[in-house]
Amino acid sequence: MSNEQQPAKMWSGRFREPLDRTFEQWQRSFPFDWRLLPQEVAASKAHAQAIAAADILTPAELEQTLAGLTRVGERAINWSNRISATSGQVDYETSDQQIGAAIVASAPQAEDIHHFVELELTKEIGALALKLHTGRSRNEQIATDMRLFVRDAIDATTNGLIAWAKALIVLAESADVATMPSYTHLQRAEPVLVAHWLLAYVSMIERDLSRLADARTRLNLCPLGSGAVAGATLALDRTLAAFALQFDAPTPNSMDATSDRDFMLDFAQAASTLGLHISRFAEELTLYSTAEFGFLDLPEAYSTGSSAMPQKKNPDLTELARGKSARLLGAATSLATLVKGLPLAYNKDLQEGQEQIFDIADTLAGLLSVLPGFTRSLKFRFEKMKTAAETGYLNAMAAATYLSNKGVPFRKAHEIIGNAVRLGLERNLELNALPLAELQTFSEHFAPDFFDAITLQATLDCHDVIGGTATSRVAEALTAARTRIASLASSSNPEGAHG
Ligand code: ARG
Protein backbone atom coordinates (compact mmCIF):
# COMPACT_ATOMS: atom_id res chain seq x y z
CA MET A 1 0.00 0.00 0.00
CA SER A 2 2.92 2.36 0.35
CA ASN A 3 6.36 2.81 -1.12
CA GLU A 4 9.54 4.23 0.43
CA GLN A 5 8.88 7.73 -0.78
CA GLN A 6 5.23 8.23 -0.26
CA PRO A 7 3.08 6.53 2.34
CA ALA A 8 -0.60 6.15 1.50
CA LYS A 9 -1.53 8.62 4.21
CA MET A 10 0.11 11.87 5.18
CA TRP A 11 0.35 10.65 8.75
CA SER A 12 0.81 6.85 8.70
CA GLY A 13 4.21 6.62 10.49
CA ARG A 14 2.94 6.08 14.02
CA PHE A 15 0.15 3.71 12.98
CA ARG A 16 0.51 -0.08 12.83
CA GLU A 17 -3.11 -1.06 12.23
CA PRO A 18 -5.00 -0.16 9.06
CA LEU A 19 -8.01 2.12 9.30
CA ASP A 20 -11.44 0.62 9.35
CA ARG A 21 -12.44 0.82 5.69
CA THR A 22 -15.84 2.30 6.26
CA PHE A 23 -14.46 4.89 8.66
CA GLU A 24 -11.70 5.69 6.19
CA GLN A 25 -14.24 6.46 3.46
CA TRP A 26 -16.52 8.33 5.79
CA GLN A 27 -13.93 10.74 7.16
CA ARG A 28 -12.55 11.78 3.77
CA SER A 29 -13.26 15.31 2.68
CA PHE A 30 -11.93 14.94 -0.86
CA PRO A 31 -15.40 14.14 -2.27
CA PHE A 32 -16.31 17.78 -1.56
CA ASP A 33 -13.10 19.70 -0.91
CA TRP A 34 -11.80 18.92 -4.44
CA ARG A 35 -13.38 22.30 -5.17
CA LEU A 36 -10.52 23.93 -3.31
CA LEU A 37 -8.01 22.82 -5.96
CA PRO A 38 -7.27 26.36 -7.27
CA GLN A 39 -6.94 27.70 -3.75
CA GLU A 40 -4.77 24.81 -2.57
CA VAL A 41 -2.48 25.20 -5.57
CA ALA A 42 -2.19 28.97 -5.06
CA ALA A 43 -1.47 28.56 -1.34
CA SER A 44 1.06 25.80 -2.04
CA LYS A 45 2.87 28.03 -4.52
CA ALA A 46 3.01 30.80 -1.93
CA HIS A 47 4.38 28.38 0.67
CA ALA A 48 6.95 27.08 -1.82
CA GLN A 49 8.20 30.64 -2.27
CA ALA A 50 8.42 31.13 1.49
CA ILE A 51 10.39 27.93 2.10
CA ALA A 52 12.66 28.68 -0.86
CA ALA A 53 13.46 32.02 0.77
CA ALA A 54 14.30 30.01 3.92
CA ASP A 55 16.71 27.84 1.83
CA ILE A 56 14.64 24.66 2.05
CA LEU A 57 14.27 24.65 -1.74
CA THR A 58 16.99 25.71 -4.16
CA PRO A 59 15.96 28.18 -6.88
CA ALA A 60 15.85 25.29 -9.37
CA GLU A 61 13.71 23.19 -7.04
CA LEU A 62 11.38 26.11 -6.51
CA GLU A 63 10.95 26.51 -10.23
CA GLN A 64 10.25 22.81 -10.66
CA THR A 65 7.78 22.84 -7.78
CA LEU A 66 5.91 25.85 -9.12
CA ALA A 67 5.70 24.36 -12.60
CA GLY A 68 4.49 21.05 -11.16
CA LEU A 69 1.84 22.82 -9.10
CA THR A 70 0.64 24.68 -12.19
CA ARG A 71 0.16 21.37 -13.97
CA VAL A 72 -1.69 19.92 -10.97
CA GLY A 73 -3.91 23.00 -10.96
CA GLU A 74 -4.83 22.25 -14.55
CA ARG A 75 -6.30 18.87 -13.59
CA ALA A 76 -9.77 20.38 -13.36
CA ILE A 77 -9.45 21.96 -16.81
CA ASN A 78 -8.16 18.69 -18.24
CA TRP A 79 -11.10 16.77 -16.84
CA SER A 80 -13.50 19.37 -18.08
CA ASN A 81 -12.05 19.10 -21.59
CA ARG A 82 -12.20 15.33 -21.49
CA ILE A 83 -15.81 15.35 -20.32
CA SER A 84 -17.02 17.80 -22.93
CA ALA A 85 -15.08 15.93 -25.63
CA THR A 86 -16.94 12.72 -24.83
CA SER A 87 -20.36 14.10 -23.97
CA GLY A 88 -20.67 17.25 -26.10
CA GLN A 89 -21.85 20.50 -24.53
CA VAL A 90 -23.12 20.20 -20.99
CA ASP A 91 -24.58 22.99 -18.94
CA TYR A 92 -22.50 24.73 -16.30
CA GLU A 93 -23.99 23.03 -13.24
CA THR A 94 -23.78 19.50 -14.58
CA SER A 95 -20.30 19.92 -15.87
CA ASP A 96 -19.05 21.15 -12.48
CA GLN A 97 -20.49 18.10 -10.79
CA GLN A 98 -19.09 15.84 -13.47
CA ILE A 99 -15.63 17.34 -13.11
CA GLY A 100 -15.78 16.78 -9.37
CA ALA A 101 -16.91 13.21 -9.75
CA ALA A 102 -14.15 12.54 -12.28
CA ILE A 103 -11.41 14.08 -10.15
CA VAL A 104 -12.56 12.27 -7.03
CA ALA A 105 -12.78 8.95 -8.88
CA SER A 106 -9.31 9.51 -10.35
CA ALA A 107 -7.71 9.66 -6.90
CA PRO A 108 -9.26 7.04 -4.63
CA GLN A 109 -6.32 7.33 -2.23
CA ALA A 110 -6.67 11.06 -1.62
CA GLU A 111 -7.98 11.83 1.85
CA ASP A 112 -8.47 15.51 1.21
CA ILE A 113 -7.47 18.25 -1.21
CA HIS A 114 -4.10 18.67 0.53
CA HIS A 115 -3.30 15.00 0.15
CA PHE A 116 -4.53 15.04 -3.45
CA VAL A 117 -2.22 17.88 -4.43
CA GLU A 118 0.73 16.18 -2.76
CA LEU A 119 -0.01 12.88 -4.55
CA GLU A 120 -0.44 14.57 -7.91
CA LEU A 121 2.62 16.74 -7.44
CA THR A 122 4.63 13.61 -6.76
CA LYS A 123 3.46 12.26 -10.12
CA GLU A 124 4.71 15.47 -11.70
CA ILE A 125 8.03 16.10 -9.96
CA GLY A 126 8.81 12.96 -7.96
CA ALA A 127 10.26 12.99 -4.44
CA LEU A 128 10.85 16.73 -4.55
CA ALA A 129 7.10 17.10 -3.98
CA LEU A 130 7.52 15.75 -0.46
CA LYS A 131 9.64 18.75 0.53
CA LEU A 132 6.70 21.07 0.11
CA HIS A 133 5.16 20.10 3.41
CA THR A 134 8.25 21.36 5.26
CA GLY A 135 7.19 23.85 7.92
CA ARG A 136 3.47 23.65 7.27
CA SER A 137 0.37 21.86 8.46
CA ARG A 138 -2.95 21.03 6.90
CA ASN A 139 -4.53 23.03 9.70
CA GLU A 140 -3.12 26.29 8.34
CA GLN A 141 -3.69 25.12 4.75
CA ILE A 142 -7.39 24.53 5.12
CA ALA A 143 -7.78 27.85 6.97
CA THR A 144 -5.98 29.56 4.07
CA ASP A 145 -7.87 27.73 1.32
CA MET A 146 -11.19 28.61 2.89
CA ARG A 147 -10.23 32.27 3.24
CA LEU A 148 -9.31 32.32 -0.44
CA PHE A 149 -12.54 30.56 -1.39
CA VAL A 150 -14.70 32.90 0.68
CA ARG A 151 -12.85 35.91 -0.71
CA ASP A 152 -13.69 34.76 -4.24
CA ALA A 153 -17.28 34.10 -3.24
CA ILE A 154 -17.55 37.58 -1.74
CA ASP A 155 -16.23 39.09 -4.98
CA ALA A 156 -18.61 37.05 -7.10
CA THR A 157 -21.56 37.95 -4.85
CA THR A 158 -20.56 41.60 -4.96
CA ASN A 159 -20.54 41.58 -8.75
CA GLY A 160 -23.87 39.76 -8.88
CA LEU A 161 -25.46 42.19 -6.44
CA ILE A 162 -24.22 45.18 -8.40
CA ALA A 163 -25.80 43.70 -11.54
CA TRP A 164 -29.08 43.19 -9.69
CA ALA A 165 -29.00 46.73 -8.27
CA LYS A 166 -28.43 48.08 -11.79
CA ALA A 167 -31.41 46.10 -13.07
CA LEU A 168 -33.60 47.52 -10.29
CA ILE A 169 -32.44 51.03 -11.12
CA VAL A 170 -33.23 50.56 -14.82
CA LEU A 171 -36.66 49.25 -13.88
CA ALA A 172 -37.19 52.21 -11.51
CA GLU A 173 -36.20 54.62 -14.27
CA SER A 174 -38.60 53.02 -16.70
CA ALA A 175 -41.40 53.30 -14.12
CA ASP A 176 -40.94 57.07 -14.37
CA VAL A 177 -43.71 58.72 -12.28
CA ALA A 178 -45.95 55.65 -12.07
CA THR A 179 -47.61 55.24 -8.69
CA MET A 180 -48.75 52.39 -6.48
CA PRO A 181 -50.10 51.97 -2.98
CA SER A 182 -47.65 51.39 -0.17
CA TYR A 183 -48.78 49.06 2.58
CA THR A 184 -48.44 48.84 6.31
CA HIS A 185 -49.91 45.74 7.96
CA LEU A 186 -50.52 44.77 4.32
CA GLN A 187 -53.36 47.32 4.31
CA ARG A 188 -53.20 50.17 1.81
CA ALA A 189 -51.35 53.06 3.44
CA GLU A 190 -50.18 55.95 1.23
CA PRO A 191 -49.41 56.28 -2.47
CA VAL A 192 -45.75 56.04 -3.45
CA LEU A 193 -43.86 56.13 -6.71
CA VAL A 194 -43.13 52.66 -8.07
CA ALA A 195 -39.54 53.87 -8.38
CA HIS A 196 -39.50 54.67 -4.66
CA TRP A 197 -40.58 51.13 -3.84
CA LEU A 198 -37.91 49.64 -6.12
CA LEU A 199 -35.23 51.88 -4.64
CA ALA A 200 -36.03 50.42 -1.21
CA TYR A 201 -34.46 47.19 -2.50
CA VAL A 202 -31.44 49.09 -3.82
CA SER A 203 -30.95 50.42 -0.28
CA MET A 204 -31.01 46.86 1.07
CA ILE A 205 -28.52 45.75 -1.56
CA GLU A 206 -26.20 48.60 -0.66
CA ARG A 207 -26.19 47.45 2.95
CA ASP A 208 -25.49 43.91 1.77
CA LEU A 209 -22.60 45.17 -0.30
CA SER A 210 -21.16 47.04 2.63
CA ARG A 211 -21.47 43.99 4.88
CA LEU A 212 -19.63 41.92 2.28
CA ALA A 213 -16.91 44.54 1.85
CA ASP A 214 -16.51 44.70 5.60
CA ALA A 215 -16.25 40.91 5.86
CA ARG A 216 -13.67 40.90 3.07
CA THR A 217 -11.47 43.43 4.84
CA ARG A 218 -11.52 41.44 8.06
CA LEU A 219 -10.91 38.16 6.23
CA ASN A 220 -7.90 39.33 4.30
CA LEU A 221 -5.10 38.05 6.56
CA CYS A 222 -3.01 35.00 5.76
CA PRO A 223 -2.86 31.99 8.11
CA LEU A 224 0.14 30.41 6.31
CA GLY A 225 3.05 30.03 8.73
CA SER A 226 0.76 29.30 11.68
CA GLY A 227 1.77 25.63 11.57
CA ALA A 228 -0.42 23.04 13.25
CA VAL A 229 -1.23 25.29 16.19
CA ALA A 230 1.84 27.03 17.64
CA GLY A 231 3.43 28.57 14.55
CA ALA A 232 5.71 27.26 11.80
CA THR A 233 8.73 25.28 12.93
CA LEU A 234 10.88 27.12 10.39
CA ALA A 235 11.94 30.74 10.54
CA LEU A 236 9.65 31.66 7.64
CA ASP A 237 9.10 35.18 6.44
CA ARG A 238 5.32 35.00 6.64
CA THR A 239 4.82 38.19 4.71
CA LEU A 240 6.09 36.48 1.54
CA ALA A 241 3.22 34.01 1.34
CA ALA A 242 0.73 36.59 2.56
CA PHE A 243 1.58 39.07 -0.18
CA ALA A 244 1.87 36.37 -2.86
CA LEU A 245 -1.80 35.56 -2.15
CA GLN A 246 -2.87 39.22 -2.05
CA PHE A 247 -3.56 39.15 1.65
CA ASP A 248 -2.89 42.37 3.55
CA ALA A 249 -0.70 40.74 6.22
CA PRO A 250 -0.11 37.46 8.08
CA THR A 251 -2.59 36.58 10.86
CA PRO A 252 -1.28 37.67 14.27
CA ASN A 253 -1.89 34.53 16.37
CA SER A 254 -1.30 30.93 15.28
CA MET A 255 -3.86 29.37 17.64
CA ASP A 256 -6.57 31.72 16.48
CA ALA A 257 -5.56 31.47 12.82
CA THR A 258 -5.83 27.67 12.69
CA SER A 259 -9.15 27.51 14.51
CA ASP A 260 -10.82 30.77 13.44
CA ARG A 261 -13.82 30.43 11.15
CA ASP A 262 -15.26 33.90 11.83
CA PHE A 263 -14.67 34.83 8.20
CA MET A 264 -17.01 31.98 7.20
CA LEU A 265 -19.59 33.10 9.74
CA ASP A 266 -19.35 36.70 8.57
CA PHE A 267 -19.95 35.62 5.00
CA ALA A 268 -22.75 33.24 5.98
CA GLN A 269 -24.49 35.89 8.04
CA ALA A 270 -24.14 38.52 5.33
CA ALA A 271 -25.52 35.91 2.92
CA SER A 272 -28.52 35.17 5.13
CA THR A 273 -29.39 38.84 5.45
CA LEU A 274 -29.09 39.16 1.70
CA GLY A 275 -31.26 36.06 1.41
CA LEU A 276 -33.90 37.73 3.56
CA HIS A 277 -33.92 40.73 1.22
CA ILE A 278 -34.24 38.51 -1.82
CA SER A 279 -37.01 36.62 -0.08
CA ARG A 280 -38.98 39.78 0.73
CA PHE A 281 -38.64 40.95 -2.88
CA ALA A 282 -39.74 37.53 -4.07
CA GLU A 283 -42.70 37.53 -1.70
CA GLU A 284 -43.88 40.96 -2.84
CA LEU A 285 -43.71 40.01 -6.50
CA THR A 286 -45.46 36.72 -5.85
CA LEU A 287 -48.23 38.63 -4.13
CA TYR A 288 -48.42 41.41 -6.69
CA SER A 289 -48.69 38.91 -9.53
CA THR A 290 -51.88 37.39 -8.12
CA ALA A 291 -55.22 38.21 -9.73
CA GLU A 292 -56.18 39.80 -6.41
CA PHE A 293 -53.49 42.47 -6.78
CA GLY A 294 -52.93 42.29 -10.53
CA PHE A 295 -49.96 44.66 -10.46
CA LEU A 296 -47.81 42.67 -12.81
CA ASP A 297 -47.83 40.12 -15.52
CA LEU A 298 -45.33 37.39 -14.70
CA PRO A 299 -42.71 37.15 -17.44
CA GLU A 300 -43.33 33.87 -19.26
CA ALA A 301 -39.60 33.29 -19.60
CA TYR A 302 -39.41 32.96 -15.83
CA SER A 303 -42.67 31.18 -15.03
CA THR A 304 -43.95 27.66 -15.35
CA GLY A 305 -47.30 26.07 -16.06
CA SER A 306 -49.28 23.46 -14.21
CA SER A 307 -49.45 19.87 -15.41
CA ALA A 308 -53.02 19.73 -14.15
CA MET A 309 -54.60 23.19 -14.52
CA PRO A 310 -54.18 24.49 -18.07
CA GLN A 311 -54.80 28.15 -17.15
CA LYS A 312 -51.98 28.41 -14.63
CA LYS A 313 -48.86 30.55 -14.85
CA ASN A 314 -46.92 30.01 -11.64
CA PRO A 315 -44.30 32.28 -10.09
CA ASP A 316 -41.67 29.57 -9.69
CA LEU A 317 -38.73 31.93 -9.79
CA THR A 318 -39.91 34.06 -6.91
CA GLU A 319 -41.10 31.07 -4.92
CA LEU A 320 -37.79 29.27 -5.32
CA ALA A 321 -35.90 32.45 -4.49
CA ARG A 322 -37.96 32.75 -1.32
CA GLY A 323 -37.18 29.11 -0.55
CA LYS A 324 -33.45 29.48 -1.17
CA SER A 325 -33.20 32.00 1.64
CA ALA A 326 -34.06 29.15 4.01
CA ARG A 327 -30.93 27.30 2.88
CA LEU A 328 -28.80 30.37 3.50
CA LEU A 329 -30.21 30.82 6.99
CA GLY A 330 -29.79 27.12 7.68
CA ALA A 331 -26.16 27.15 6.59
CA ALA A 332 -25.37 30.17 8.76
CA THR A 333 -27.00 28.48 11.73
CA SER A 334 -25.10 25.23 11.08
CA LEU A 335 -21.80 27.09 10.98
CA ALA A 336 -22.44 28.98 14.18
CA THR A 337 -23.49 25.78 15.92
CA LEU A 338 -20.41 24.00 14.60
CA VAL A 339 -17.96 26.48 16.10
CA LYS A 340 -19.79 27.03 19.37
CA GLY A 341 -18.06 25.14 22.17
CA LEU A 342 -15.00 24.04 20.15
CA PRO A 343 -11.86 24.19 22.25
CA LEU A 344 -8.86 25.88 20.61
CA ALA A 345 -7.36 25.20 18.20
CA TYR A 346 -8.04 22.95 15.16
CA ASN A 347 -10.70 20.26 15.52
CA LYS A 348 -11.87 17.97 12.76
CA ASP A 349 -15.42 19.22 13.31
CA LEU A 350 -14.33 22.23 11.28
CA GLN A 351 -14.22 20.08 8.15
CA GLU A 352 -18.03 20.07 8.30
CA GLY A 353 -18.11 23.82 7.69
CA GLN A 354 -16.79 23.57 4.16
CA GLU A 355 -19.93 22.19 2.56
CA GLN A 356 -22.04 24.90 4.18
CA ILE A 357 -19.83 27.53 2.59
CA PHE A 358 -19.92 25.79 -0.80
CA ASP A 359 -23.69 25.60 -0.58
CA ILE A 360 -23.97 29.28 0.30
CA ALA A 361 -21.67 30.26 -2.58
CA ASP A 362 -23.62 28.08 -5.04
CA THR A 363 -27.00 29.25 -3.77
CA LEU A 364 -26.02 32.90 -4.08
CA ALA A 365 -24.46 32.36 -7.50
CA GLY A 366 -27.66 30.68 -8.67
CA LEU A 367 -29.92 33.41 -7.30
CA LEU A 368 -27.83 36.19 -8.73
CA SER A 369 -27.61 34.46 -12.09
CA VAL A 370 -31.39 34.82 -12.55
CA LEU A 371 -32.43 37.89 -10.55
CA PRO A 372 -31.03 40.64 -12.81
CA GLY A 373 -32.61 39.18 -15.97
CA PHE A 374 -35.88 38.50 -14.19
CA THR A 375 -35.94 42.04 -12.79
CA ARG A 376 -35.26 43.59 -16.19
CA SER A 377 -38.09 41.60 -17.74
CA LEU A 378 -40.77 42.70 -15.25
CA LYS A 379 -43.78 44.43 -16.78
CA PHE A 380 -46.05 46.24 -14.39
CA ARG A 381 -49.71 47.03 -14.94
CA PHE A 382 -49.29 50.68 -14.07
CA GLU A 383 -52.98 51.50 -14.61
CA LYS A 384 -54.06 48.96 -12.00
CA MET A 385 -51.40 50.16 -9.61
CA LYS A 386 -52.54 53.74 -10.05
CA THR A 387 -56.20 52.84 -9.50
CA ALA A 388 -55.21 51.03 -6.32
CA ALA A 389 -53.24 54.09 -5.22
CA GLU A 390 -56.28 56.31 -5.77
CA THR A 391 -58.85 54.22 -3.95
CA GLY A 392 -59.22 53.43 -0.29
CA TYR A 393 -58.54 56.91 1.14
CA LEU A 394 -54.78 56.73 0.70
CA ASN A 395 -54.85 60.55 0.69
CA ALA A 396 -56.29 60.76 4.21
CA MET A 397 -52.96 61.68 5.76
CA ALA A 398 -52.41 64.36 3.14
CA ALA A 399 -55.94 65.60 3.93
CA ALA A 400 -55.15 65.82 7.65
CA THR A 401 -51.93 67.63 6.76
CA TYR A 402 -54.01 70.15 4.79
CA LEU A 403 -55.99 70.97 7.94
CA SER A 404 -52.90 71.10 10.12
CA ASN A 405 -51.34 73.51 7.61
CA LYS A 406 -54.43 75.70 8.26
CA GLY A 407 -53.56 75.71 11.96
CA VAL A 408 -55.70 72.81 13.17
CA PRO A 409 -53.69 70.68 15.68
CA PHE A 410 -52.81 67.40 13.97
CA ARG A 411 -54.60 65.24 16.53
CA LYS A 412 -57.79 67.21 15.85
CA ALA A 413 -57.20 67.19 12.08
CA HIS A 414 -56.83 63.40 12.23
CA GLU A 415 -60.21 63.15 13.97
CA ILE A 416 -61.94 65.43 11.44
CA ILE A 417 -60.58 63.52 8.42
CA GLY A 418 -61.56 60.29 10.17
CA ASN A 419 -65.14 61.58 10.22
CA ALA A 420 -64.90 62.54 6.55
CA VAL A 421 -63.63 59.04 5.70
CA ARG A 422 -66.54 57.52 7.60
CA LEU A 423 -68.96 59.63 5.57
CA GLY A 424 -67.19 58.61 2.38
CA LEU A 425 -67.47 54.93 3.34
CA GLU A 426 -71.19 55.32 3.93
CA ARG A 427 -71.69 56.99 0.56
CA ASN A 428 -69.11 54.87 -1.25
CA LEU A 429 -67.23 58.02 -2.27
CA GLU A 430 -63.53 58.93 -2.08
CA LEU A 431 -62.59 62.10 -0.17
CA ASN A 432 -62.25 64.15 -3.34
CA ALA A 433 -65.85 63.34 -4.29
CA LEU A 434 -67.39 64.61 -1.05
CA PRO A 435 -69.21 67.95 -1.42
CA LEU A 436 -67.34 70.86 0.15
CA ALA A 437 -70.45 71.96 2.05
CA GLU A 438 -70.65 68.65 3.84
CA LEU A 439 -66.93 68.67 4.64
CA GLN A 440 -67.43 72.10 6.15
CA THR A 441 -69.88 70.65 8.65
CA PHE A 442 -66.83 68.82 10.12
CA SER A 443 -64.55 71.87 10.11
CA GLU A 444 -64.75 75.48 8.95
CA HIS A 445 -61.16 75.14 7.69
CA PHE A 446 -62.17 73.21 4.57
CA ALA A 447 -61.91 75.47 1.51
CA PRO A 448 -61.92 74.84 -2.27
CA ASP A 449 -58.10 74.40 -2.24
CA PHE A 450 -58.67 71.23 -0.18
CA PHE A 451 -59.26 69.30 -3.41
CA ASP A 452 -55.88 70.38 -4.82
CA ALA A 453 -54.17 69.23 -1.63
CA ILE A 454 -55.45 65.67 -1.93
CA THR A 455 -54.81 64.86 -5.59
CA LEU A 456 -52.55 61.88 -6.18
CA GLN A 457 -49.74 64.22 -7.19
CA ALA A 458 -50.13 66.40 -4.11
CA THR A 459 -50.36 63.35 -1.89
CA LEU A 460 -47.00 62.19 -3.21
CA ASP A 461 -45.37 65.59 -3.21
CA CYS A 462 -46.25 66.48 0.37
CA HIS A 463 -43.55 63.94 1.31
CA ASP A 464 -40.87 66.40 0.36
CA VAL A 465 -38.03 65.26 2.60
CA ILE A 466 -34.81 63.36 2.06
CA GLY A 467 -35.89 59.75 1.60
CA GLY A 468 -39.53 60.69 0.92
CA THR A 469 -41.63 59.76 -2.09
CA ALA A 470 -42.11 63.32 -3.48
CA THR A 471 -41.47 63.13 -7.23
CA SER A 472 -38.43 65.43 -7.10
CA ARG A 473 -36.94 63.56 -4.15
CA VAL A 474 -37.29 60.21 -5.90
CA ALA A 475 -35.68 61.63 -9.03
CA GLU A 476 -32.74 62.81 -6.90
CA ALA A 477 -32.55 59.50 -5.07
CA LEU A 478 -32.51 57.64 -8.36
CA THR A 479 -29.65 59.73 -9.72
CA ALA A 480 -27.70 59.32 -6.49
CA ALA A 481 -28.24 55.55 -6.40
CA ARG A 482 -27.19 55.23 -10.03
CA THR A 483 -23.97 57.12 -9.30
CA ARG A 484 -23.16 55.12 -6.16
CA ILE A 485 -23.76 51.77 -7.86
CA ALA A 486 -21.70 52.82 -10.90
CA SER A 487 -18.79 53.76 -8.68
CA LEU A 488 -19.03 50.47 -6.79
CA ALA A 489 -19.07 48.65 -10.12
CA SER A 490 -15.87 50.33 -11.25
CA SER A 491 -14.06 49.62 -7.97
CA SER A 492 -15.17 46.00 -7.54
CA ASN A 493 -13.02 43.11 -8.63
CA PRO A 494 -14.53 41.89 -11.91
CA GLU A 495 -12.76 38.53 -11.98
CA GLY A 496 -12.99 37.39 -8.40
CA ALA A 497 -9.45 36.00 -8.79
CA HIS A 498 -8.30 33.85 -5.90
CA GLY A 499 -4.59 34.36 -6.06
N1 ARG B 1 -9.56 17.94 5.58
C1 ARG B 1 -9.22 18.64 6.77
C2 ARG B 1 -10.25 19.72 7.06
O1 ARG B 1 -10.92 20.09 6.16
C3 ARG B 1 -7.88 19.29 6.63
C4 ARG B 1 -7.22 19.56 7.92
C5 ARG B 1 -6.85 18.28 8.57
N2 ARG B 1 -6.09 18.45 9.73
C6 ARG B 1 -5.94 17.50 10.63
N3 ARG B 1 -5.24 17.76 11.67
N4 ARG B 1 -6.52 16.33 10.47
O2 ARG B 1 -10.43 20.19 8.16
Side-chain angles (χ1 to χ4, degrees):
M1 82 167 205
S2 61
N3 60 41
E4 280 288 317
Q5 288 186 332
Q6 194 162 23
K9 290 272 175 236
M10 296 175 94
W11 40 261
S12 22
R14 65 97 66 213
F15 283 75
R16 291 294 167 264
E17 284 187 32
L19 281 188
D20 175 90
R21 278 185 60 131
T22 310
F23 167 66
E24 201 282 325
Q25 289 296 314
W26 176 78
Q27 57 89 46
R28 280 160 40 116
S29 53
F30 193 51
F32 51 87
D33 72 12
W34 66 269
R35 296 182 58 159
L36 297 171
L37 178 61
Q39 289 79 8
E40 176 70 8
V41 165
S44 294
K45 285 181 172 177
H47 178 70
Q49 283 164 307
I51 59 171
D55 293 332
I56 300 293
L57 297 179
T58 65
E61 286 175 332
L62 172 63
E63 211 175 299
Q64 244 188 302
T65 304
L66 294 178
L69 283 167
T70 299
R71 292 196 294 278
V72 172
E74 284 161 2
R75 294 286 195 269
I77 303 169
N78 297 344
W79 275 112
S80 147
N81 292 343
R82 253 182 271 177
I83 292 165
S84 32
T86 51
S87 70
Q89 274 315 106
V90 279
D91 69 42
Y92 170 77
E93 195 77 48
T94 324
S95 114
D96 237 22
Q97 283 166 357
Q98 285 179 316
I99 295 166
I103 293 183
V104 171
S106 77
Q109 273 197 310
E111 179 173 316
D112 56 22
I113 184 62
H114 321 296
H115 192 204
F116 173 77
V117 168
E118 188 177 281
L119 291 169
E120 295 299 301
L121 189 61
T122 309
K123 288 186 198 157
E124 295 289 342
I125 63 172
L128 174 58
L130 304 180
K131 277 197 177 182
L132 187 57
H133 210 55
T134 316
R136 77 170 177 177
S137 153
R138 284 185 294 163
N139 299 350
E140 62 181 289
Q141 283 171 261
I142 190 62
T144 306
D145 291 356
M146 288 309 288
R147 281 185 191 243
L148 292 172
F149 184 91
V150 172
R151 193 172 70 182
D152 278 357
I154 288 177
D155 291 342
T157 308
T158 298
N159 291 331
L161 274 180
I162 290 172
W164 186 32
K166 282 184 176 168
L168 284 162
I169 289 172
V170 169
L171 190 63
E173 279 166 350
S174 70
D176 196 21
V177 292
T179 54
M180 67 185 285
S182 64
Y183 298 84
T184 63
H185 314 271
L186 202 51
Q187 305 287 328
R188 283 185 200 169
E190 292 188 274
V192 288
L193 288 179
V194 172
H196 192 57
W197 165 61
L198 292 168
L199 282 175
Y201 285 98
V202 176
S203 286
M204 293 179 226
I205 292 175
E206 289 190 72
R207 287 197 297 278
D208 292 322
L209 287 166
S210 108
R211 258 184 288 276
L212 289 168
D214 182 46
R216 193 188 198 283
T217 306
R218 216 174 301 114
L219 159 157
N220 211 30
L221 298 175
C222 184
L224 287 184
S226 297
V229 53
T233 48
L234 270 181
L236 291 179
D237 177 355
R238 292 188 57 205
T239 61
L240 292 178
F243 296 154
L245 295 168
Q246 275 110 53
F247 284 114
D248 298 326
T251 47
N253 180 291
S254 63
M255 294 181 77
D256 179 48
T258 49
S259 65
D260 167 35
R261 294 298 183 269
D262 288 5
F263 62 96
M264 287 162 46
L265 283 168
D266 279 354
F267 174 57
Q269 285 155 0
S272 0
T273 307
L274 161 59
L276 298 182
H277 297 154
I278 293 174
S279 184
R280 296 183 78 176
F281 179 72
E283 167 61 12
E284 288 208 292
L285 290 171
T286 307
L287 210 54
Y288 292 165
S289 72
T290 58
E292 283 69 14
F293 276 86
F295 289 177
L296 70 122
D297 220 355
L298 283 174
E300 286 197 10
Y302 295 96
S303 308
T304 61
S306 156
S307 60
M309 298 166 280
Q311 86 284 10
K312 291 293 288 286
K313 183 166 68 167
N314 291 328
D316 286 34
L317 184 143
T318 52
E319 289 175 317
L320 258 184
R322 201 171 52 191
K324 297 279 183 195
S325 72
R327 286 175 88 105
L328 297 172
L329 277 166
T333 307
S334 291
L335 279 174
T337 316
L338 182 68
V339 177
K340 177 192 170 300
L342 281 190
L344 297 190
Y346 178 82
N347 298 272
K348 186 99 174 201
D349 315 41
L350 293 172
Q351 183 170 289
E352 282 296 300
Q354 295 176 25
E355 284 168 289
Q356 303 298 338
I357 289 293
F358 298 153
D359 193 51
I360 294 172
D362 292 345
T363 302
L364 289 178
L367 281 164
L368 293 167
S369 73
V370 292
L371 276 171
F374 171 74
T375 301
R376 274 192 302 273
S377 73
L378 287 174
K379 298 257 180 302
F380 294 112
R381 297 207 191 101
F382 290 128
E383 269 314 306
K384 277 206 102 161
M385 292 170 116
K386 181 164 184 265
T387 306
E390 281 177 327
T391 41
Y393 309 97
L394 278 73
N395 52 0
M397 230 167 95
T401 305
Y402 166 84
L403 289 179
S404 91
N405 286 343
K406 300 259 166 169
V408 181
F410 189 80
R411 188 50 53 236
K412 192 91 195 88
H414 185 287
E415 177 75 18
I416 296 167
I417 299 300
N419 288 328
V421 167
R422 166 152 299 280
L423 178 70
L425 285 168
E426 279 161 19
R427 304 256 182 95
N428 199 19
L429 293 173
E430 288 292 321
L431 288 179
N432 59 0
L434 290 175
L436 183 59
E438 291 205 50
L439 286 169
Q440 283 166 340
T441 64
F442 297 123
S443 164
E444 79 234 29
H445 294 285
F446 282 110
D449 62 349
F450 172 66
F451 299 102
D452 302 329
I454 61 165
T455 61
L456 184 55
Q457 191 62 43
T459 307
L460 289 165
D461 287 344
C462 69
H463 301 280
D464 189 12
V465 288
I466 295 173
T469 196
T471 321
S472 63
R473 296 289 184 168
V474 174
E476 276 166 29
L478 200 45
T479 308
R482 201 191 309 108
T483 310
R484 285 195 307 272
I485 297 295
S487 83
L488 282 173
S490 60
S491 64
S492 85
N493 176 356
E495 266 117 55
H498 55 77

